Amino acid sequence: MLYIINSLVTEGESTTFSLVGVTSDKKKAAGLAAEVYKDYNKVASFQNIEMITEWLATRMNYSFRKDKSHRLQLSITELENESTAPENKVIFSAAAEQDELMRKVSEALFEGKHQAERGGEAHSCPIE
């Protein structure tokens, strides 16, 4: 079995997708991905890098956000023979968090409008 290591770096409006490497050892794949994290987060402690290496070996992905505009996503994909299982074909979901937030806000506003149109009971604090 082969393991493909990928990274996606988001900085502001730009994104960079990279192939980090390919190896036949799962632990080595996790180590390679952790090296990318170490280069990205220069202040990471040794214990933090060890924990992330273990996480990558078990969960096969990791996401680190420095701040609102900077993010690193790492993924290890198992490749058995020449094809991958359907659940392993998506490496990164590129849905923007801002879009997800706006969807939830729109959904909440829609529900609030429906409640108001149905004559829902208004909850407010009485003024004394």
Side-chain angles (χ1 to χ4, degrees):
M1 181 165 323
L2 289 176
Y3 298 93
I4 302 170
I5 305 100
N6 296 298
S7 72
L8 179 67
V9 177
T10 305
E11 293 179 333
E13 296 296 316
S14 70
T15 56
T16 305
F17 180 77
S18 303
L19 174 66
V20 175
V22 178
T23 182
S24 60
D25 181 28
K26 190 176 188 180
K27 292 222 181 255
K28 186 173 181 180
L32 288 170
E35 285 296 318
V36 173
Y37 169 77
K38 187 169 113 176
D39 289 341
Y40 187 76
N41 185 10
K42 303 282 188 203
V43 296
S45 68
F46 175 76
Q47 290 85 4
N48 192 1
I49 293 168
E50 288 295 312
M51 179 193 70
I52 290 166
T53 303
E54 187 63 32
W55 180 269
L56 285 161
T58 57
R59 299 288 183 152
M60 308 292 276
N61 61 51
Y62 180 76
S63 180
F64 171 74
R65 181 179 287 284
K66 280 186 182 178
D67 56 35
K68 183 179 177 183
S69 302
H70 297 82
R71 182 179 192 168
L72 168 68
Q73 296 176 74
L74 298 166
S75 175
I76 300 171
T77 305
E78 293 181 0
L79 181 64
E80 193 170 346
N81 300 327
E82 293 180 8
S83 64
T84 60
E87 64 272 9
N88 292 336
K89 287 188 179 184
V90 174
I91 297 173
F92 294 108
S93 174
E97 290 178 13
Q98 185 74 19
D99 294 342
E100 179 65 17
L101 174 64
M102 292 310 295
R103 185 189 69 74
K104 287 184 178 181
V105 167
S106 295
E107 191 176 275
L109 288 173
F110 179 77
E111 280 300 312
K113 183 179 176 199
H114 260 320
Q115 185 71 17
E117 288 174 350
R118 290 189 299 242
E121 192 176 308
H123 299 285
S124 64
C125 296
I127 299 174
E128 293 183 25

